[in-house]
Amino acid sequence: MNFKSITIFLLIVALVGFISYSAIFGVNLGKYEITPAKENMKLGLDLEGGVFVVLEAQTDAQGVELEKKMEQAKAIIRQRVDGLGVAEPNIVLEGKKRIRVELPGVKNAQDAIDIIGKTAQLQFIDPKGNVVVTGKNIKRSEVTYQLNREKGREEPVVALEFDKEGTQKFAEATRELIKNAAAKDRIIYIVLDDEVISSPVVSSAITDGKAVITGSFAVEKASKLATLIRAGALPVEMKEIQTSVIGPTLGLASLDKSIYAAKIGLILIFLFMLIYYRIPGLIADLGLTIYILLVLGAMIYLDATLTLPGIAGLILSIGMAVDANVVIFERIKEEIRAGKTLRAAVDSGFKRALRTVIDANVTTFIAGIVLFKFGTGPIKGFAVTLLIGLVASMITAVFITKYLLKLTIKMNITKNTKLYGA
């Protein structure tokens, strides 16, 4: 027996076992703590819960003009979503006229949908019906607090700051309005989507470009109004054509069931490989464990989002990894039956199987790239895990499994070819 090879093999097994345990349960090493992989994984909408909505542009524009409007609409919607405080939203164009918005973790779905698709038109109108400034002249819009002298307490208000053009127009309008004696003739109506949301009376000329909208707002209402004003109007009317709300309980239940199914599948695969291929099967099980650790580590490092279709992609790539091992081990068995030594059979078997394994993985990898490039939402999630899985599969099948199998032969524990599946 070669004790050096045995020691290296046992160290590898111990290291893989420790990392596997840490990934499943987490480890606390004094001031160092390794949290379970599940807690570090970014979950998609279907696992974390939330809402997604598909909006379609109502316009006859075509070509470059349509592309420009859709890009503007996407940017404005993103700004509105950011105003909602949603972490890691996914906003993508679907086709030429549609925008898909995914908001993981959102609790009040209808409020989110309303604020995303609203074609807000903000106007400041004088008593004669003349538009003084519009939303495009707004440079800053935020919630702040101002003392309400009648109620004797501070209330949330929306503070505005105009751009250069807006400052000039607002100054001219307020200078004219303060000349009127009656209060009703000094009102500036603040109108949002044809609805008067505030009607302050001008008491002095506002020449510094800063104004405040009051209206006994609750904090949430003031925040929503500030977000709408800040984001401005969509360049085209957007119609909601599909909406789905996924509760967090349903998402977590789906994740738990997926993990449970994966455990059963992996146990069955491990047992089959061990029983049918024996020592190579044991090496394959060790290689598959390393493969799973590589995939999970890559997804966490790349901050990739795990979705239900992504889990399907992961399972498919596990199948590809097992298939690669089966092809390699069958070639090794053929070489052993042809009378070659174990070491020569392993070298020759890997060489003969390599082309088949590479062909299968490359064609699937190309399909994965196409899905990632042109797919959206769940399809893209599937493609991401499939691509990561294929790369990890090639690494484990071509390099790690081969190294471990050669190491096992160097250990010189047995020369019985039946233990190598022959």
Side-chain angles (χ1 to χ4, degrees), residues 122-416:
L122 181 73
Q123 295 176 320
F124 289 64
I125 300 175
D126 68 15
K128 295 179 181 178
N130 299 318
V131 176
V132 179
V133 292
T134 66
K136 72 175 185 179
N137 299 119
I138 303 297
K139 194 167 81 176
R140 184 175 62 87
S141 171
E142 63 183 16
V143 177
T144 183
Y145 284 85
Q146 181 173 287
L147 179 63
N148 185 325
R149 296 185 184 282
E150 293 180 1
K151 297 180 181 178
R153 66 186 185 199
E154 290 198 335
E155 291 185 340
V157 297
V158 178
L160 304 176
E161 184 176 344
F162 299 109
D163 59 11
K164 187 176 180 181
E165 180 187 4
T167 300
Q168 184 178 354
K169 288 182 177 179
F170 205 71
E172 291 173 0
T174 52
R175 284 195 194 101
E176 289 297 319
L177 289 176
I178 59 171
K179 295 176 183 176
N180 300 319
K184 65 181 179 65
D185 294 328
R186 288 186 279 120
I187 293 176
I188 285 187
Y189 298 96
I190 302 175
V191 181
L192 184 69
D193 287 345
D194 300 324
E195 180 184 351
V196 177
I197 57 174
S198 185
S199 50
V201 177
V202 176
S203 56
S204 62
I206 300 175
T207 58
D208 60 355
K210 295 179 180 178
V212 172
I213 302 176
T214 60
S216 299
F217 296 121
V219 175
E220 293 79 12
K221 189 174 179 180
S223 178
K224 186 185 293 186
L225 176 59
T227 300
L228 280 172
I229 295 172
R230 186 167 56 243
L234 291 172
V236 61
E237 182 184 354
M238 303 298 293
K239 183 180 179 182
E240 176 189 330
I241 61 170
Q242 186 182 2
T243 304
S244 181
V245 179
I246 301 169
T249 304
L250 178 61
L252 290 175
S254 300
L255 178 62
D256 291 340
K257 286 182 180 178
S258 301
I259 293 174
Y260 182 69
K263 286 178 182 175
I264 294 175
L266 286 172
I267 290 172
L268 291 176
I269 290 171
F270 281 15
L271 287 176
F272 169 79
M273 297 297 288
L274 191 60
I275 294 170
Y276 194 79
Y277 290 105
R278 298 161 195 178
I279 290 178
L282 176 65
I283 300 303
D285 291 348
L286 189 57
L288 283 174
T289 305
I290 296 172
Y291 158 84
I292 294 170
L293 293 173
L294 283 175
V295 171
L296 293 179
M299 291 194 67
I300 293 171
Y301 179 76
L302 297 174
D303 203 23
T305 301
L306 182 65
T307 62
L308 276 178
I311 293 175
L314 185 61
I315 293 171
L316 176 59
S317 63
I318 291 174
M320 295 287 292
V322 173
D323 183 61
N325 282 314
V326 168
V327 171
I328 292 168
F329 296 157
E330 287 298 324
R331 295 289 182 272
I332 292 175
K333 282 167 63 176
E334 290 174 4
E335 298 297 328
I336 293 174
R337 287 170 185 158
K340 291 186 177 178
T341 62
L342 285 175
R343 187 168 301 181
V346 169
D347 287 334
S348 183
F350 266 94
K351 189 176 180 182
R352 286 180 58 202
L354 190 60
R355 183 168 181 177
T356 305
V357 172
I358 290 177
D359 284 352
N361 281 275
V362 167
T363 50
T364 309
F365 194 83
I366 292 171
I369 290 176
V370 173
L371 289 175
F372 181 78
K373 177 68 178 176
F374 298 102
T376 58
I379 297 175
K380 187 166 282 191
F382 173 84
V384 168
T385 51
L386 179 62
L387 292 172
I388 293 174
L390 287 173
V391 173
S393 170
M394 287 296 293
I395 293 172
T396 52
V398 177
F399 300 105
I400 296 177
T401 303
K402 184 177 181 181
Y403 173 76
L404 290 175
L405 204 51
K406 282 189 166 185
L407 187 65
T408 307
I409 295 171
K410 280 184 183 176
M411 288 160 62
N412 202 22
I413 296 176
T414 178
K415 292 187 182 297
N416 187 348

